[in-house]
Amino acid sequence: MIEELLPESVVVVEAYGEDAARAAGGPEDVSLFPEEEAVIAKAVPKRRREFTAVRGCARRAMKKLGVPPQAVLPGERGAPAWPDGLVGSMTHCDGYCAAALVRATDVASLGIDAEPHLPLPNGVLGAIALPTEEARLHRLNSERPGVHWDRLLFSAKESVYKAWFPLTARWLDFSEADIDVVADSGAPTGSGSGIFRARLLVPGPVVDGQRIKSFDGRWTVRDGLLATAVSVPYPTERAKAAG
């Protein structure tokens, strides 16, 4: 699902179902390193399952890139600390988890997020959405009522933040990126796909000497899940794509 949203150079490993750890590739892939065990020593069982399953996905992605399996520890603000030479992102929700990794020479940063395709709890949209975003969601709800656009906006903001933080080591508030979502045409009710652009309302990261003013992403909805992904290309690659 998420691999469809990212460049071909990115390796994505996903797991579905209640036993996501086994779906990720078997017990040998989800054994935790001692330093990972220490992180979740006091975690409740649900948190432990999620932590383990998504690292099973990450280990398989490393293997596909020719990198020996290594511990993935939460760093500043919980951002995963990847092996040298790799950038990536992880996500999990009920019944699904995924890891996306790529060589740091190919992509500057990544962010992925998955959510259940359900409305946001009451009061959350007002806390995360700008007035301009709420106006666009109102239009999208009228045109495509089968998609929970509020949850999609939340997921897109999560993916944007996950791509932003490794480049800046700074917090990005929900109000500091204005996201415009565009839907592809012709999808059945309750599913869909499309693109989004996040216009940064604060100074963006500098990549290869150029300041980034916006992040571009893709989204998809199907089988009760919603996923978003952002890849931040190097400026030369962005110019090639635009040209």
Side-chain angles (χ1 to χ4, degrees):
M1 183 166 72
I2 284 179
E3 68 181 1
E4 301 166 9
L5 310 179
L6 290 164
E8 291 183 1
S9 58
V10 180
V11 172
V12 177
V13 175
E14 301 168 298
Y16 294 83
E18 293 182 4
D19 192 5
R22 187 170 299 280
E28 70 279 3
D29 286 323
V30 294
S31 297
L32 295 179
F33 287 88
E35 54 267 49
E36 292 173 327
E37 287 278 6
V39 171
I40 57 165
K42 298 181 180 179
V44 298
K46 181 177 185 293
R47 167 62 176 154
R48 183 179 182 86
R49 287 194 300 270
E50 293 171 342
F51 184 97
T52 302
V54 77
R55 278 157 180 79
C57 293
R59 307 243 210 281
R60 290 191 70 197
M62 289 179 200
K63 185 176 180 180
K64 290 185 176 186
L65 287 168
V67 176
Q70 299 175 45
V72 182
L73 299 175
E76 188 178 358
R77 294 192 178 272
W82 297 108
D84 290 344
L86 298 182
V87 296
S89 185
M90 301 189 294
T91 187
H92 55 76
C93 63
D94 286 346
Y96 177 82
C97 63
L101 273 76
V102 65
R103 296 195 180 279
T105 51
D106 293 333
V107 173
S109 191
L110 291 176
I112 64 172
D113 184 70
E115 303 279 337
H117 185 220
L118 297 169
L120 287 175
N122 288 337
V124 174
L125 181 62
I128 69 159
L130 296 165
T132 50
E133 294 170 328
E134 290 202 63
R136 295 186 200 112
L137 293 192
H138 181 75
R139 173 179 53 80
L140 288 166
N141 278 323
S142 298
E143 296 172 353
R144 297 279 294 278
V147 173
H148 295 299
W149 298 104
D150 57 346
R151 180 77 68 163
L152 178 53
L153 177 66
F154 175 82
S155 179
K157 287 186 179 257
E158 288 289 301
S159 286
V160 166
Y161 176 75
K162 289 179 180 181
W164 158 278
F165 189 80
L167 297 173
T168 63
R170 301 198 312 270
W171 176 255
L172 183 71
D173 193 77
F174 286 119
S175 65
E176 293 176 332
D178 187 352
I179 295 181
D180 189 4
V181 178
V182 178
D184 296 337
S185 60
T189 301
S191 65
S193 60
I195 61 174
F196 62 90
R197 170 163 286 183
R199 183 171 61 90
L200 299 172
L201 304 180
V202 293
V206 175
V207 177
D208 277 359
Q210 296 189 33
R211 189 169 297 280
I212 304 298
K213 297 181 179 180
S214 63
F215 287 170
D216 291 326
R218 297 197 62 83
W219 62 270
T220 188
V221 174
R222 67 170 183 260
D223 301 326
L225 290 171
L226 179 158
T228 59
V230 169
S231 61
V232 182
Y234 289 101
T236 52
E237 296 301 317
R238 182 187 287 245
K240 288 178 186 176

